[in-house]
Amino acid sequence: LDPSAPIDGLMPALVDQVPTIDTNNNLHEPSMSLTGFDPADLLNFGGLKDVKGHDIDFANLPANNVVMSKTAADKLNASVGDSLTIYANNQPHQLTVAAIAPDSFLSGSVNIGDGSAGGFSMPLSEVQAITGRTGQISAIAVSNTGGVKDSVKYSDQAVAAIDNALAGTPYRAVALK
């Protein structure tokens, strides 16, 4: 990757779609996004806050705990502490809602605006274990140089630099916000 590219963060991630049941109220969604990323990469993407604005210590989430997106929480009428059952590879897995965060890639919301039911996130290694995809990723999130709003002006340059680096492979950059 060209070192002059306007990119200040890269974050490997694994995203999968999983049926989800909130076992506290028996509400369910047939497909929610389960997103895993390395907690060490989180600061390069602005960190993660809950819906009340409090910092979430993603690196120290207890095992099998997730950060749930606001959309997912609304769909399941979920609250912090609720128990979830998800199905990955037709196997049930029990999770606990540790925090609810505004919709973003970091809270597990992928493609919000297309009718998505939202999702949740947890450390990459746990998502890899749950999905049986140890050592695998499905995406690399990219943070443009700058802040939340002013970084958009670098999107075309960042996409071009990534596509140039990926030339000759079947991969390409996809600009999302």
Side-chain angles (χ1 to χ4, degrees), residues 32-89:
M32 291 193 151
S33 296
L34 171 61
T35 303
F37 54 87
D38 188 332
D41 295 327
L42 188 60
L43 289 180
N44 289 335
F45 286 78
L48 190 54
K49 295 187 181 295
D50 67 16
V51 291
K52 295 179 182 176
H54 301 112
D55 288 331
I56 296 171
D57 188 359
F58 195 77
N60 290 308
L61 285 179
N64 299 316
N65 274 244
V66 299
V67 174
M68 182 173 260
S69 72
K70 174 100 171 63
T71 293
D74 289 348
K75 293 270 186 179
L76 293 175
N77 196 28
S79 299
V80 171
D82 278 12
S83 297
L84 306 175
T85 300
I86 65 164
Y87 290 85
N89 298 322

